[in-house]
Amino acid sequence: MNKLIPQVPNTLTKLKSFINNLFNWIQFLALISIALTAVLCFVRELWMMTSNGVVHMGDLLLLFLYTEVIVMARTALQNDHEALIAMPLAIAVVALARYMIIGSSHEPLHQIMYATGILILVVAMVLWYFRTWPNQQKNN
């Protein structure tokens, strides 16, 4: 008699699956927390701007930062909880630019250092984009 015996997953496979599901839920909750916090901060900053009746460039950049964080969280939620590397780099560029405008001492050496940091981040983004450039040309 040739009976088919169903394969029973062993304990290690079950444990790996449980841990994977656990981390998926943790990532999901973390991304939702980040998005909701960014929305709340965006609304608070908008409220402060309207109640003060004055809008500065730093305020607009801060709103842009919150928007980018929301977009990054949404994109990560849509892509199996994976954030694209370019999004945090873009957020860092805007954060450094905002700091250059409103938070720094405006000393020339500090401004050059911030600008160099921005340049390094932008070059990293361009290199990240061009890592698949030959393949993209073939597909088009």
Side-chain angles (χ1 to χ4, degrees):
M1 243 192 273
N2 190 359
K3 291 184 179 180
L4 291 174
I5 301 173
Q7 296 262 335
V8 178
N10 62 17
T11 307
L12 186 58
T13 305
K14 286 181 180 179
L15 181 62
K16 284 181 182 179
S17 176
F18 173 76
I19 290 173
N20 188 36
N21 288 335
L22 177 67
F23 279 113
N24 277 337
W25 273 104
I26 290 171
Q27 283 179 310
F28 176 77
L29 293 174
L31 288 169
I32 292 294
S33 301
I34 290 168
L36 289 176
T37 303
V39 168
L40 290 174
C41 290
F42 184 93
V43 170
R44 185 191 65 171
E45 185 65 27
L46 201 58
W47 177 261
M48 288 174 53
M49 283 177 13
T50 55
S51 63
N52 290 340
V54 178
V55 178
H56 299 285
M57 182 59 133
D59 299 330
L60 294 175
L61 288 172
L62 190 57
L63 291 177
F64 184 76
L65 281 171
Y66 293 140
T67 304
E68 285 299 311
V69 170
I70 294 166
V71 169
M72 182 181 67
R74 186 195 71 202
T75 303
L77 284 168
Q78 292 173 346
N79 294 321
D80 295 327
H81 312 298
E82 297 296 326
L84 301 174
I85 190 69
M87 292 186 122
L89 291 176
I91 292 171
V93 167
V94 175
L96 276 173
R98 180 180 184 275
Y99 189 73
M100 279 179 72
I101 292 170
I102 66 162
S104 68
S105 61
H106 298 293
E107 291 182 24
L109 181 60
H110 290 167
Q111 295 294 324
I112 290 171
M113 290 184 340
Y114 300 136
T116 303
I118 290 172
L119 179 64
I120 290 169
L121 290 169
V122 169
V123 167
M125 288 171 54
V126 169
L127 290 175
W128 184 259
Y129 172 76
F130 280 118
R131 81 192 190 310
T132 59
W133 182 66
N135 294 335
Q136 290 175 353
Q137 292 295 329
K138 291 178 188 175
N139 293 337
N140 291 334

